[in-house]
Structure formats: structure tokens, C-alpha cells
Amino acid sequence: MTLSIPQPADTRNLVITRVLDAPRHAIWRAWSDPEWLKVWWSPKPGTTEVIALDLQPGGAFHTRIQGPDDDRSEHIGCFLEVIPHARIVFTSMLTAGWRPAIPELAFTTLISLSDYALGSCCTVQVIHQDENTH
């Protein structure tokens, strides 16, 4: 089953599409391999610790970002859909094993990968509860 995607024109959504000079399997690895994810997940000079990346429906997603001014942020969620090399969907509204969560920031993220000319196209759509939270 593929989850339907809300229309990008919805002002509660943040949509970023990039055409990348890299094969789709490399972009997939950047999202799915903890060693690669921690390299780019936070803006430099911040660092990322990947605590959980159980890439299956109901699996845990958990990262901790340490900023340059000792500020920390946790990103805890649950994967809803995983189609290797094509699509990842996760939310902060659930934790591992489909357990309900009360997150600081409610969102659902949809990542779509496709081939594009000599590289790949990556679209990331972050769906927020309302216009004030993105």
C-alpha cells in the first residue's frame, strides 16, 4: 500500500525537490545508512548521533543533534512506509512499534526518490499540523 501525498500547494507543507548528480542507490544510502545519515543530517558545525534507524514499517527513527552552542534537539519517530530505493515515510506522532507519541513538533515526512537524466531526483515533503509549526 502506498500512502497518498497531500498536495504541495498546501501551506502547511514544506516541499524541497533537488536533482542530484548521484545515482539513486547513493541517495538511498544517505537516508538509510546510519553512518551516512549522521554526516549530513545536521548543519555544520553541529553533529548528529543516530540512535535508531530501523527502516521498516513500525520501526524506530531517533536522532540527536548537538549544535555549536550546546543546544540539543531530539528527533524521535516511527517509519510508516519503506520502499527500498524509492520512498520513506516517517512521523513524529508515533514511536517504535506504533506507540502513540506526544511530540514537541508534530510532523510527517515523505521522501521520494526517482531517476533523473544522469542522476536522481529527491523530493522531501514535511507535513506540519498547521502553518505556525514549520
Side-chain angles (χ1 to χ4, degrees), residues 35-48:
E35 292 303 312
W36 284 37
L37 186 66
K38 73 180 185 181
V39 170
W40 69 268
W41 186 248
S42 63
K44 301 298 180 212
T47 59
T48 298

PDB file of all heavy atoms in Angstrom, residues 35-48:
ATOM      1  N   GLU A  35      25.645   5.562   9.279  1.00  0.00           N
ATOM      2  CA  GLU A  35      26.950   6.214   9.120  1.00  0.00           C
ATOM      3  C   GLU A  35      26.887   7.362   8.120  1.00  0.00           C
ATOM      4  O   GLU A  35      27.581   8.364   8.284  1.00  0.00           O
ATOM      5  CB  GLU A  35      28.021   5.192   8.708  1.00  0.00           C
ATOM      6  CG  GLU A  35      28.344   4.192   9.800  1.00  0.00           C
ATOM      7  CD  GLU A  35      28.810   4.854  11.094  1.00  0.00           C
ATOM      8  OE1 GLU A  35      29.688   5.744  11.040  1.00  0.00           O
ATOM      9  OE2 GLU A  35      28.283   4.489  12.164  1.00  0.00           O
ATOM     10  N   TRP A  36      26.086   7.227   7.095  1.00  0.00           N
ATOM     11  CA  TRP A  36      25.935   8.302   6.110  1.00  0.00           C
ATOM     12  C   TRP A  36      24.983   9.378   6.629  1.00  0.00           C
ATOM     13  O   TRP A  36      25.224  10.561   6.440  1.00  0.00           O
ATOM     14  CB  TRP A  36      25.438   7.745   4.784  1.00  0.00           C
ATOM     15  CG  TRP A  36      26.481   7.036   3.984  1.00  0.00           C
ATOM     16  CD1 TRP A  36      27.496   6.246   4.468  1.00  0.00           C
ATOM     17  CD2 TRP A  36      26.623   7.047   2.580  1.00  0.00           C
ATOM     18  NE1 TRP A  36      28.240   5.762   3.438  1.00  0.00           N
ATOM     19  CE2 TRP A  36      27.731   6.231   2.258  1.00  0.00           C
ATOM     20  CE3 TRP A  36      25.907   7.646   1.552  1.00  0.00           C
ATOM     21  CZ2 TRP A  36      28.143   6.027   0.953  1.00  0.00           C
ATOM     22  CZ3 TRP A  36      26.312   7.423   0.239  1.00  0.00           C
ATOM     23  CH2 TRP A  36      27.424   6.634  -0.042  1.00  0.00           C
ATOM     24  N   LEU A  37      23.894   8.974   7.279  1.00  0.00           N
ATOM     25  CA  LEU A  37      22.914   9.943   7.783  1.00  0.00           C
ATOM     26  C   LEU A  37      23.551  10.913   8.773  1.00  0.00           C
ATOM     27  O   LEU A  37      23.304  12.115   8.718  1.00  0.00           O
ATOM     28  CB  LEU A  37      21.732   9.218   8.435  1.00  0.00           C
ATOM     29  CG  LEU A  37      20.569  10.095   8.887  1.00  0.00           C
ATOM     30  CD1 LEU A  37      19.863  10.733   7.702  1.00  0.00           C
ATOM     31  CD2 LEU A  37      19.580   9.294   9.715  1.00  0.00           C
ATOM     32  N   LYS A  38      24.391  10.419   9.646  1.00  0.00           N
ATOM     33  CA  LYS A  38      24.978  11.298  10.661  1.00  0.00           C
ATOM     34  C   LYS A  38      25.936  12.327  10.058  1.00  0.00           C
ATOM     35  O   LYS A  38      26.183  13.364  10.668  1.00  0.00           O
ATOM     36  CB  LYS A  38      25.660  10.488  11.757  1.00  0.00           C
ATOM     37  CG  LYS A  38      26.940   9.837  11.379  1.00  0.00           C
ATOM     38  CD  LYS A  38      27.499   9.069  12.580  1.00  0.00           C
ATOM     39  CE  LYS A  38      28.862   8.492  12.285  1.00  0.00           C
ATOM     40  NZ  LYS A  38      29.366   7.744  13.428  1.00  0.00           N
ATOM     41  N   VAL A  39      26.417  12.072   8.847  1.00  0.00           N
ATOM     42  CA  VAL A  39      27.327  13.017   8.199  1.00  0.00           C
ATOM     43  C   VAL A  39      26.589  14.281   7.744  1.00  0.00           C
ATOM     44  O   VAL A  39      27.129  15.386   7.826  1.00  0.00           O
ATOM     45  CB  VAL A  39      28.033  12.346   7.002  1.00  0.00           C
ATOM     46  CG1 VAL A  39      28.797  13.354   6.165  1.00  0.00           C
ATOM     47  CG2 VAL A  39      28.943  11.232   7.488  1.00  0.00           C
ATOM     48  N   TRP A  40      25.346  14.166   7.295  1.00  0.00           N
ATOM     49  CA  TRP A  40      24.672  15.315   6.690  1.00  0.00           C
ATOM     50  C   TRP A  40      23.394  15.764   7.401  1.00  0.00           C
ATOM     51  O   TRP A  40      22.841  16.816   7.087  1.00  0.00           O
ATOM     52  CB  TRP A  40      24.352  15.013   5.217  1.00  0.00           C
ATOM     53  CG  TRP A  40      23.288  13.973   5.034  1.00  0.00           C
ATOM     54  CD1 TRP A  40      23.468  12.633   4.894  1.00  0.00           C
ATOM     55  CD2 TRP A  40      21.878  14.189   4.993  1.00  0.00           C
ATOM     56  NE1 TRP A  40      22.259  11.997   4.769  1.00  0.00           N
ATOM     57  CE2 TRP A  40      21.256  12.925   4.833  1.00  0.00           C
ATOM     58  CE3 TRP A  40      21.065  15.321   5.094  1.00  0.00           C
ATOM     59  CZ2 TRP A  40      19.883  12.779   4.759  1.00  0.00           C
ATOM     60  CZ3 TRP A  40      19.690  15.161   5.018  1.00  0.00           C
ATOM     61  CH2 TRP A  40      19.119  13.900   4.844  1.00  0.00           C
ATOM     62  N   TRP A  41      22.893  15.024   8.376  1.00  0.00           N
ATOM     63  CA  TRP A  41      21.572  15.300   8.972  1.00  0.00           C
ATOM     64  C   TRP A  41      21.496  16.656   9.657  1.00  0.00           C
ATOM     65  O   TRP A  41      20.464  17.308   9.633  1.00  0.00           O
ATOM     66  CB  TRP A  41      21.210  14.173   9.931  1.00  0.00           C
ATOM     67  CG  TRP A  41      19.829  14.246  10.514  1.00  0.00           C
ATOM     68  CD1 TRP A  41      19.519  14.491  11.816  1.00  0.00           C
ATOM     69  CD2 TRP A  41      18.578  14.062   9.845  1.00  0.00           C
ATOM     70  NE1 TRP A  41      18.162  14.455  12.001  1.00  0.00           N
ATOM     71  CE2 TRP A  41      17.557  14.201  10.789  1.00  0.00           C
ATOM     72  CE3 TRP A  41      18.228  13.798   8.523  1.00  0.00           C
ATOM     73  CZ2 TRP A  41      16.220  14.084  10.474  1.00  0.00           C
ATOM     74  CZ3 TRP A  41      16.887  13.678   8.202  1.00  0.00           C
ATOM     75  CH2 TRP A  41      15.904  13.826   9.173  1.00  0.00           C
ATOM     76  N   SER A  42      22.571  17.114  10.273  1.00  0.00           N
ATOM     77  CA  SER A  42      22.527  18.412  10.949  1.00  0.00           C
ATOM     78  C   SER A  42      23.464  19.393  10.251  1.00  0.00           C
ATOM     79  O   SER A  42      24.470  19.004   9.677  1.00  0.00           O
ATOM     80  CB  SER A  42      22.932  18.275  12.421  1.00  0.00           C
ATOM     81  OG  SER A  42      24.265  17.824  12.520  1.00  0.00           O
ATOM     82  N   PRO A  43      23.117  20.677  10.330  1.00  0.00           N
ATOM     83  CA  PRO A  43      24.004  21.679   9.730  1.00  0.00           C
ATOM     84  C   PRO A  43      25.323  21.756  10.504  1.00  0.00           C
ATOM     85  O   PRO A  43      25.338  21.640  11.723  1.00  0.00           O
ATOM     86  CB  PRO A  43      23.216  22.986   9.840  1.00  0.00           C
ATOM     87  CG  PRO A  43      22.036  22.701  10.688  1.00  0.00           C
ATOM     88  CD  PRO A  43      21.926  21.236  10.903  1.00  0.00           C
ATOM     89  N   LYS A  44      26.415  21.940   9.780  1.00  0.00           N
ATOM     90  CA  LYS A  44      27.724  22.069  10.407  1.00  0.00           C
ATOM     91  C   LYS A  44      27.806  23.420  11.116  1.00  0.00           C
ATOM     92  O   LYS A  44      27.196  24.377  10.665  1.00  0.00           O
ATOM     93  CB  LYS A  44      28.833  21.946   9.348  1.00  0.00           C
ATOM     94  CG  LYS A  44      28.805  20.631   8.599  1.00  0.00           C
ATOM     95  CD  LYS A  44      29.033  19.473   9.512  1.00  0.00           C
ATOM     96  CE  LYS A  44      29.009  18.164   8.744  1.00  0.00           C
ATOM     97  NZ  LYS A  44      28.510  17.049   9.458  1.00  0.00           N
ATOM     98  N   PRO A  45      28.462  23.520  12.229  1.00  0.00           N
ATOM     99  CA  PRO A  45      29.361  22.560  12.835  1.00  0.00           C
ATOM    100  C   PRO A  45      28.657  21.593  13.796  1.00  0.00           C
ATOM    101  O   PRO A  45      29.322  20.923  14.590  1.00  0.00           O
ATOM    102  CB  PRO A  45      30.354  23.428  13.584  1.00  0.00           C
ATOM    103  CG  PRO A  45      29.544  24.602  14.029  1.00  0.00           C
ATOM    104  CD  PRO A  45      28.550  24.828  12.911  1.00  0.00           C
ATOM    105  N   GLY A  46      27.350  21.498  13.731  1.00  0.00           N
ATOM    106  CA  GLY A  46      26.637  20.557  14.586  1.00  0.00           C
ATOM    107  C   GLY A  46      26.979  19.114  14.245  1.00  0.00           C
ATOM    108  O   GLY A  46      27.524  18.821  13.186  1.00  0.00           O
ATOM    109  N   THR A  47      26.634  18.218  15.158  1.00  0.00           N
ATOM    110  CA  THR A  47      26.869  16.789  14.946  1.00  0.00           C
ATOM    111  C   THR A  47      25.572  16.031  15.181  1.00  0.00           C
ATOM    112  O   THR A  47      24.678  16.501  15.889  1.00  0.00           O
ATOM    113  CB  THR A  47      27.948  16.249  15.900  1.00  0.00           C
ATOM    114  OG1 THR A  47      27.521  16.463  17.247  1.00  0.00           O
ATOM    115  CG2 THR A  47      29.286  16.937  15.665  1.00  0.00           C
ATOM    116  N   THR A  48      25.490  14.860  14.574  1.00  0.00           N
ATOM    117  CA  THR A  48      24.309  14.014  14.710  1.00  0.00           C
ATOM    118  C   THR A  48      24.700  12.656  15.262  1.00  0.00           C
ATOM    119  O   THR A  48      25.663  12.060  14.800  1.00  0.00           O
ATOM    120  CB  THR A  48      23.623  13.808  13.351  1.00  0.00           C
ATOM    121  OG1 THR A  48      23.175  15.065  12.853  1.00  0.00           O
ATOM    122  CG2 THR A  48      22.436  12.857  13.458  1.00  0.00           C
TER     123      THR A  48
END
